[in-house]
């Protein structure tokens, strides 16, 4: 049975996951628009959105043809793989093993690459292609997140609302500040979304296999708490080993 816990979890996971992806795409579009011109930025973005819309129109109806148990199992496994990937990266960033993602640095790197192509007669095409690839790749991840958190329990509408709200918020923020959204706590968002996606994945994989979860949908919160405890312990241990490694390498 779908209750407010499941709905709010799906909307929140879709909103936060989509927000991170849209911020990354926005950074690239902004770099193209400011360093080259807005025409290739908008053309590339428009073409990518058209491809994404075509994928949704073609593949969307097929979801209704898949038995719910099989859909929950497949989506659950994919969610575990996707969520663990985000969670692993967030844990490694929090423990110091890899650098935190910085939208300002990403914007500067993309701007520098575009400016080095400025003398190329295909500069507009390459700039448009950059915007197209960024929107398409991040957009595919947004579509996957919406399907993953919404399809397993008939919540596609709610998950879509979460993703749409994230897109609108990023666009509004971008129009207001007109620069990369470098103050967004992306690592924290990826940590939270990684926990949520992995929790959904474990829950729906169990549902697809016919498991009876204690507390029904409330079991998602229990899984999330257990994963959070494991993740924080992992961060604490890794921070200790990283500090010891730095100390050992200090002359």
């Amino acid at each position: 049975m779908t209750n407010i816990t499941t709905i709010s979890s799906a909307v929140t996971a879709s909103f936060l996951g989509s927000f991170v992806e849209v911020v990354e795409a926005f950074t690239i579009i902004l770099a193209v628009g400011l360093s080259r011109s807005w025409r290739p930025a908008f053309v590339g973005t428009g073409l990518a959105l058209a491809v994404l819309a075509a994928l949704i129109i073609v593949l969307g109806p097929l979801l209704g043809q898949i038995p719910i148990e099989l859909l929950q199992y497949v989506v659950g496994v994919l969610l575990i793989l996707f969520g663990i990937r985000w969670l692993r990266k967030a844990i490694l960033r929090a423990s110091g093993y890899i650098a935190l993602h910085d939208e300002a640095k990403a914007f500067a790197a993309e701007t520098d690459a575009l400016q080095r192509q400025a003398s190329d007669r295909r500069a507009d095409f390459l700039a448009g292609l950059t915007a197209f690839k960024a929107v398409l790749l991040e957009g595919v991840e947004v579509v996957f997140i919406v399907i993953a958190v919404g399809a397993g329990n008939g919540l596609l509408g709610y998950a879509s609302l979460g993703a749409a709200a994230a897109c609108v918020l990023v666009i509004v923020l971008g129009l207001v500040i007109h620069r990369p959204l470098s103050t967004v706590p992306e690592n924290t968002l990826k940590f939270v979304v990684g926990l949520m996606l992995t929790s959904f994945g474990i829950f729906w994989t169990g549902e697809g296999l016919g498991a009876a979860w204690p507390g029904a949908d409330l079991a998602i919160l229990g899984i999330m708490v257990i994963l959070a405890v494991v993740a924080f312990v992992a961060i604490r241990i890794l921070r200790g080993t990283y500090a010891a490694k730095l100390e050992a390498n200090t002359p």
Side-chain angles (χ1 to χ4, degrees):
M1 177 183 291
T2 302
N3 56 34
I4 189 65
T5 302
T6 312
I7 293 174
S8 58
S9 297
V11 172
T12 304
S14 178
F15 173 81
L16 295 179
S18 300
F19 188 81
V20 172
E21 302 296 349
V22 178
V23 164
E24 293 180 356
F26 171 78
T27 298
I28 305 300
I29 296 169
L30 191 65
V32 172
L34 294 179
S35 64
R36 187 62 192 171
S37 73
W38 287 107
R39 186 171 180 275
F42 289 145
V43 170
T45 300
L47 288 175
L49 291 177
V51 173
L52 287 171
L55 286 174
I56 294 171
I57 291 171
V58 172
L59 299 179
L62 297 179
L63 292 176
Q65 307 301 316
I66 303 174
I68 186 64
E69 292 81 8
L70 177 60
L71 184 62
Q72 286 177 326
Y73 177 75
V74 173
V75 168
V77 172
L78 292 175
L79 269 178
I80 291 173
L81 296 175
F82 196 74
I84 286 291
R85 183 168 69 91
W86 277 36
L87 197 54
R88 172 184 172 275
K89 188 175 288 186
I91 289 172
L92 290 175
R93 283 175 172 167
S95 59
Y97 273 90
I98 59 176
L100 294 175
H101 184 77
D102 188 330
E103 287 300 327
K105 285 185 178 178
F107 175 79
E110 198 61 51
T111 300
D112 180 61
L114 289 165
Q115 287 175 341
R116 280 189 275 108
Q117 297 170 350
S119 59
D120 194 314
R121 60 186 177 85
R122 303 172 301 159
D124 279 344
F125 170 77
L126 295 173
L129 185 62
T130 300
F132 174 81
K133 287 194 295 184
V135 175
L136 185 62
L137 291 176
E138 305 301 344
V140 165
E141 294 208 44
V142 169
V143 171
F144 171 77
I145 290 170
V146 169
I147 292 174
V149 302
N153 215 7
L155 298 173
L156 273 177
Y158 291 106
S160 299
L161 283 177
C167 293
V168 170
L169 181 58
V170 172
I171 292 171
V172 170
L173 289 175
L175 290 174
V176 171
I177 67 174
H178 212 59
R179 62 172 183 247
L181 305 179
S182 55
T183 56
V184 171
E186 184 173 320
N187 194 57
T188 302
L189 290 178
K190 282 203 168 184
F191 182 81
V192 173
V193 175
L195 284 177
M196 299 185 80
L197 295 183
T198 308
S199 302
F200 270 105
I202 293 172
F203 180 81
W204 283 339
T205 301
E207 290 263 291
L209 293 173
W213 291 101
D217 290 352
L218 287 174
I220 296 173
L221 296 179
I223 297 169
M224 204 178 302
V225 170
I226 293 172
L227 288 174
V229 170
V230 172
F232 281 121
V233 170
I235 290 172
R236 187 178 179 83
I237 293 173
L238 288 172
R239 276 181 178 168
T241 58
Y242 184 70
K245 183 179 176 182
L246 284 180
E247 188 176 343
N249 292 331
T250 301

